Amino acid sequence: TPNLFAYSDAGNGIGYSYLKIRGFGQNRVAVMLNGVPLNDAESGEVFWIDLPDFAESVEDIQIQRGVGNSLYGAAALGGSINLITSDYSVKPELKFKSGYGSYNTKKILLSGNSGLIKDSYVFYGRYSQIETDGYRDKSWSKMYGYFLGFARYGENSTMKVNIYGGPEESHLAYKGITEAQLETDRIYNELQYKDEIDHFNQPHYEIINDFKLDEKMSLSSTLYYFEGNGYYDQFRTDRNFAEYNLSAVYDPNTWTTYALNDSTFPSEFYQLHDPFGNPRIDSSGMYPLAVDETDLVRRKVVGEYDWGWIPRVTYQLEKGNIIGGGEVRIHKGHHYGEVLWASAYPANLDPNVRYYDYYGARQSYTAFGHLDYDVTPRLTGMIDLQLQLYRYEMSGDKRFNVGFTRDYSFVTPRAGLNFRVNDNLTTFANVSTASRQPSFKNIYDPTDFWSNPGFKPDNFTGIGGGYIFDGKELKPEKLLDIELGGEYKDNLAGNNLDLKFNLYYMSVTDEIIPYAGQIDDNGYPISGNADKTLHQGIEFSAKLATTSNLAFYGNFSVNDDHFVDYVEYGFDWDLSEPLILDRSDNRIGGFPSMLANYGLSYKYRTFSFGFYGRFVGEQFLDNSEDDARKLDSYHTAGITASYDFGDEFGLGRTALTIRANNIFDTKYAAAGYIEPDDSLPRYMVGAERNFFISLDLGI
């Protein structure tokens, strides 16, 4: 796929992984499973790790760059991805797969398909297990995946029931390495605490119905439910007691200290001022020692659920079709954080004190109408109109009793033309609009102690013993997307040629971007609005399949992602004054200037061979266009070879496959960020040369 960029924390593509399209992060790419939205309802993020080995149950991956139309979801700015799970086989099948590779990577899989029973019913099941040590130190993952499916095929209807998911455990590795470590210790992981592990499980349930009502009208309906439960632990140093609800270490009236008035603690743990800057002076006028900071282990926990309904009606016209539909999605999540251990833990506090505890909810309602119409035998037009309604709610805040409600509504028209010049050449033009609301924590982050009503009273209104957040927050993003392109197909003496070319111009108002490329204490970007930005570029792809079983493919994109009008605000800690940084006309950090993919494949009887490569252009880690904060371009390549010997033993596909990645052993950094503590770059590296060998057995 042109203009798609991906990387993983562990470096070898297993565990926490991320993708971007056209300069937009995956929180602004609509990802769906059989049309069901996967993006997290509160953050918009996609946690691929919660779908262990899901690709083994995928029949097709549909990717649309840019805004697209309403048939591919509502939250897309950079693009849309729809994963379609496997269609059931009419013949019984049983498959076993086992593999082993670099970094102690292991995989086993067992799947079975009942085949068509009584011309109507099919059952399918898969169990997978993947383990890896990861390329980087302490970046291991253990994942267990399952997929259970049932289908009933009737004369005028189809029903499918899918249940899938799987628990995962992964040692966190979202912190990058320094420039010096690129040469001395590429695999270093700053998160060395042995229990800094993510535990999560997210089972999904789907009921998909398709009905043919008559010769012209059909109805589809999807009901879904999924829930997520999990936690991760983190070791942190020099943390303020008040931030973690541990303030009872000292008496706030007399500043009398308890047993923690002990010089054996590190000197930086003792402070002469309280968290609000007030000097600690006892009745004698002395400054007593008070333990104010501690090392600690914290646990962040979430329990959440989403359910929804996606109906769609299609009516076939004489020269086209009209589609109407919508979506209802209801989300609720319970979030809380606990202190599991502290080097200076107050003796008069119960264990596992909670330092935040709240509920977040979102309601989503969309409706759309979509018309495809053949204006002439060669010209087809498309008109699309979508209405989106969203509501965020925060409640049950047990620490500061803060709550809020936010409503957003968007109307997004889209239109396009497709003209068939001749049997070989087709051209198109498309104009689309899209809007996207800020994420839940872009409004107010209840886990951030320093933004509470005591520190920022102007952001809150007191009501009924609690507070309503009504302070400054991020604005919704608004996008205009203009696309021009074409496709040329030809058969040259049996050789099939397919060429695609695309120009895009995406103008964004109030784009939400990371401030200076920095991340917060959990590894998430700190965001703000840019008044106006521009994403524009060229995309080209080519495929050639020859009569000699040799095939070639390639694509490239050249991107221009820059600020038109943007002022970034920072802070100079040495001078204790704010910084005003005009980034207008600067390149937006975090996405390569150029991407290219290429490959060839060859098949001879039951032997197949492939060679593939990828070029990633330079990218800045923040918005300063400072060459000291830039990733160099890099190129990687790999090979794959497979031999199917199933026919020799009267079996189904039974193959031995060897895959070698990064065969030229390129040392590269795939992504990065600016560390807030020292304002220096941190680099997320990719794996060096690595291998994986697998055996597939099928009957």
Side-chain angles (χ1 to χ4, degrees):
T1 296
N3 227 348
L4 188 150
F5 169 66
Y7 68 97
S8 66
D9 285 346
N12 64 329
I14 301 176
Y16 271 93
S17 303
Y18 315 91
L19 65 80
K20 299 180 181 181
I21 297 178
R22 289 185 175 178
F24 294 93
Q26 61 186 12
N27 62 333
R28 287 173 292 169
V29 174
V31 179
M32 293 156 284
L33 307 176
N34 296 321
V36 173
L38 182 63
N39 299 73
D40 181 78
E42 294 184 31
S43 68
E45 279 295 332
V46 181
F47 301 100
W48 301 98
I49 194 172
D50 298 331
L51 296 169
D53 207 25
F54 190 75
E56 289 285 359
S57 295
V58 169
E59 179 80 14
D60 187 26
I61 301 177
Q62 303 167 345
I63 301 178
Q64 187 173 45
R65 301 181 303 279
V67 172
N69 57 55
S70 299
L71 305 180
Y72 291 92
L77 296 187
S80 303
I81 300 174
N82 190 23
L83 307 177
I84 306 298
T85 55
S86 301
D87 235 351
Y88 302 99
S89 173
V90 297
K91 295 181 179 180
E93 293 179 337
L94 184 63
K95 296 180 180 180
F96 173 78
K97 179 182 290 188
S98 179
Y100 184 81
S102 302
Y103 320 119
N104 199 27
T105 302
K106 295 172 284 188
K107 171 178 174 174
I108 61 170
L109 175 148
L110 180 65
S111 67
N113 195 310
S114 69
L116 200 59
I117 301 174
K118 294 184 179 181
D119 295 327
S120 297
Y121 305 98
V122 180
F123 297 88
Y124 169 78
R126 171 186 60 83
Y127 170 78
S128 300
Q129 181 175 331
I130 296 177
E131 297 183 13
T132 183
D133 291 343
Y135 166 64
R136 300 179 62 199
D137 182 35
K138 288 185 172 60
S139 62
W140 59 262
S141 293
K142 294 181 180 179
M143 300 180 285
Y144 307 86
Y146 62 85
F147 190 104
L148 300 173
F150 162 76
R152 179 190 180 278
Y153 299 96
E155 185 177 350
N156 294 306
S157 66
T158 300
M159 181 182 73
K160 295 181 180 180
V161 179
N162 298 322
I163 302 172
Y164 52 85
E168 61 84 13
E169 290 186 338
S170 298
H171 195 286
L172 297 173
Y174 59 80
K175 300 282 278 185
I177 61 175
T178 65
E179 186 173 10
Q181 289 168 330
L182 286 173
E183 302 299 330
T184 60
D185 191 3
R186 296 180 60 82
I187 66 171
Y188 177 73
N189 179 8
E190 182 180 325
L191 305 176
Q192 288 288 305
Y193 175 54
K194 66 180 179 64
D195 290 328
E196 195 126 348
I197 299 170
D198 178 64
H199 312 256
F200 205 78
N201 186 21
Q202 189 183 67
H204 291 246
Y205 310 88
E206 298 173 350
I207 301 176
I208 304 170
N209 288 284
D210 293 298
F211 304 94
K212 184 178 180 181
L213 302 179
D214 56 37
E215 292 300 320
K216 292 187 176 182
M217 185 177 293
S218 61
L219 169 67
S220 67
S221 173
T222 300
L223 286 171
Y224 66 89
Y225 174 84
F226 58 90
E227 60 183 41
N229 293 281
Y231 66 92
Y232 58 94
D233 297 341
Q234 297 175 307
F235 175 73
R236 293 294 180 264
T237 59
D238 303 343
R239 292 307 160 114
N240 189 283
F241 271 97
E243 183 178 355
Y244 287 91
N245 216 12
L246 302 175
S247 302
V249 171
Y250 51 81
D251 187 319
N253 297 311
T254 65
W255 304 115
T256 302
T257 57
Y258 300 98
L260 297 179
N261 186 358
D262 185 340
S263 61
T264 61
F265 286 105
S267 60
E268 63 266 22
F269 284 4
Y270 295 94
Q271 303 292 326
L272 300 180
H273 295 80
D274 67 16
F276 298 90
N278 302 311
R280 295 198 176 99
I281 306 176
D282 64 16
S283 57
S284 66
M286 302 296 292
Y287 290 84
L289 290 175
V291 177
D292 196 44
E293 293 182 353
T294 180
D295 297 342
L296 54 83
V297 175
R298 67 188 187 191
R299 171 170 292 179
K300 295 195 167 189
V301 184
V302 61
E304 58 187 1
Y305 68 81
D306 291 72
W307 67 266
W309 177 45
I310 306 174
R312 184 174 297 179
V313 177
T314 302
Y315 184 79
Q316 186 174 344
L317 304 173
E318 183 179 352
K319 294 184 178 182
N321 60 73
I322 186 169
I323 304 172
E327 178 190 335
V328 176
R329 180 180 180 180
I330 307 299
H331 162 86
K332 190 167 187 178
H334 182 202
H335 306 260
Y336 62 89
E338 298 178 328
V339 178
L340 302 185
W341 168 88
S343 57
Y345 198 96
N348 60 331
L349 281 186
D350 292 334
N352 292 39
V353 64
R354 292 191 178 183
Y355 64 100
Y356 69 84
D357 190 335
Y358 70 95
Y359 289 87
R362 193 183 94 165
Q363 303 168 28
S364 308
Y365 307 95
T366 68
F368 73 88
H370 179 93
L371 172 65
D372 290 313
Y373 191 79
D374 296 332
V375 182
T376 72
R378 292 189 175 187
L379 180 65
T380 300
M382 181 275 290
I383 298 176
D384 187 286
L385 184 66
Q386 187 176 69
L387 171 65
Q388 305 167 36
L389 303 174
Y390 301 100
R391 165 169 284 197
Y392 285 124
E393 295 176 349
M394 176 185 161
S395 61
D397 178 22
K398 290 184 173 57
R399 186 162 191 193
F400 299 109
N401 200 14
V402 172
F404 67 80
T405 300
R406 291 292 185 277
D407 293 300
Y408 300 91
S409 61
F410 309 113
V411 177
T412 53
R414 299 154 189 179
L417 293 172
N418 190 297
F419 181 67
R420 184 169 58 86
V421 179
N422 53 44
D423 291 341
N424 303 108
L425 178 62
T426 302
T427 61
F428 69 86
N430 187 289
V431 178
S432 303
T433 63
S435 297
R436 180 183 176 273
Q437 74 279 11
S439 67
F440 185 94
K441 288 186 179 179
N442 286 153
I443 300 170
Y444 171 69
D445 184 357
T447 69
D448 180 10
F449 171 77
W450 307 107
S451 62
N452 73 63
F455 281 94
K456 298 182 178 180
D458 292 343
N459 290 342
F460 302 87
T461 299
I463 182 170
Y467 298 91
I468 298 296
F469 177 80
D470 52 13
K472 184 179 180 181
E473 60 196 61
L474 296 185
K475 305 172 186 176
E477 300 171 294
K478 297 172 284 295
L479 169 65
L480 172 65
D481 181 10
I482 301 174
E483 310 262 347
L484 296 171
E487 180 175 13
Y488 179 83
K489 291 184 176 182
D490 204 349
N491 186 295
L492 307 173
N495 302 305
N496 294 316
L497 176 66
D498 188 353
L499 305 176
K500 295 180 181 178
F501 178 76
N502 191 47
L503 298 171
Y504 68 92
Y505 173 94
M506 306 174 77
S507 177
V508 190
T509 303
D510 295 322
E511 179 173 351
I512 297 174
I513 59 154
Y515 271 145
Q518 295 182 350
I519 61 171
D520 66 15
D521 199 38
N522 298 304
Y524 297 113
I526 303 169
S527 299
N529 285 116
D531 290 340
K532 190 172 182 180
T533 59
L534 190 61
H535 299 255
Q536 58 187 354
I538 302 170
E539 298 165 339
F540 175 81
S541 64
K543 294 180 181 179
L544 176 64
T546 71
T547 57
S548 58
N549 293 325
L550 186 64
F552 303 88
Y553 74 85
N555 63 60
F556 72 84
S557 60
V558 179
N559 312 292
D560 175 20
D561 308 303
H562 71 270
F563 298 104
V564 177
D565 186 8
Y566 177 45
V567 174
E568 192 171 84
Y569 296 91
F571 193 81
D572 189 323
W573 293 100
D574 294 329
L575 299 177
S576 296
E577 62 182 28
L579 294 173
I580 301 176
L581 306 167
D582 189 352
R583 303 301 196 197
S584 301
D585 298 323
N586 279 20
R587 185 172 179 84
I588 302 172
F591 197 76
S593 57
M594 180 178 178
L595 289 165
N597 301 278
Y598 64 89
L600 64 87
S601 63
Y602 176 73
K603 186 173 183 180
Y604 177 73
R605 296 182 180 177
T606 60
F607 173 78
S608 59
F609 172 84
F611 176 81
Y612 52 90
R614 181 168 181 80
F615 173 82
V616 177
E618 64 181 25
Q619 56 178 304
F620 288 101
L621 298 182
D622 68 359
N623 308 314
S624 65
E625 287 195 341
D626 184 347
D627 285 345
R629 299 180 170 193
K630 183 176 68 174
L631 297 183
D632 293 332
S633 60
Y634 62 89
H635 168 255
T636 61
I639 57 174
T640 180
S642 180
Y643 175 65
D644 186 348
F645 52 89
D647 289 344
E648 299 176 19
F649 299 95
L651 302 173
R653 184 178 188 275
T654 302
L656 182 69
T657 302
I658 300 174
R659 185 180 183 96
N661 301 305
N662 194 8
I663 57 175
F664 300 127
D665 206 24
T666 302
K667 307 295 191 297
Y668 67 96
Y673 58 91
I674 304 302
E675 179 62 47
D677 292 342
D678 54 25
S679 297
L680 294 177
R682 296 294 187 272
Y683 303 92
M684 306 298 293
V685 296
E688 299 166 64
R689 184 187 297 116
N690 61 93
F691 305 88
F692 192 81
I693 182 170
S694 62
L695 176 66
D696 292 44
L697 301 175
I699 57 174

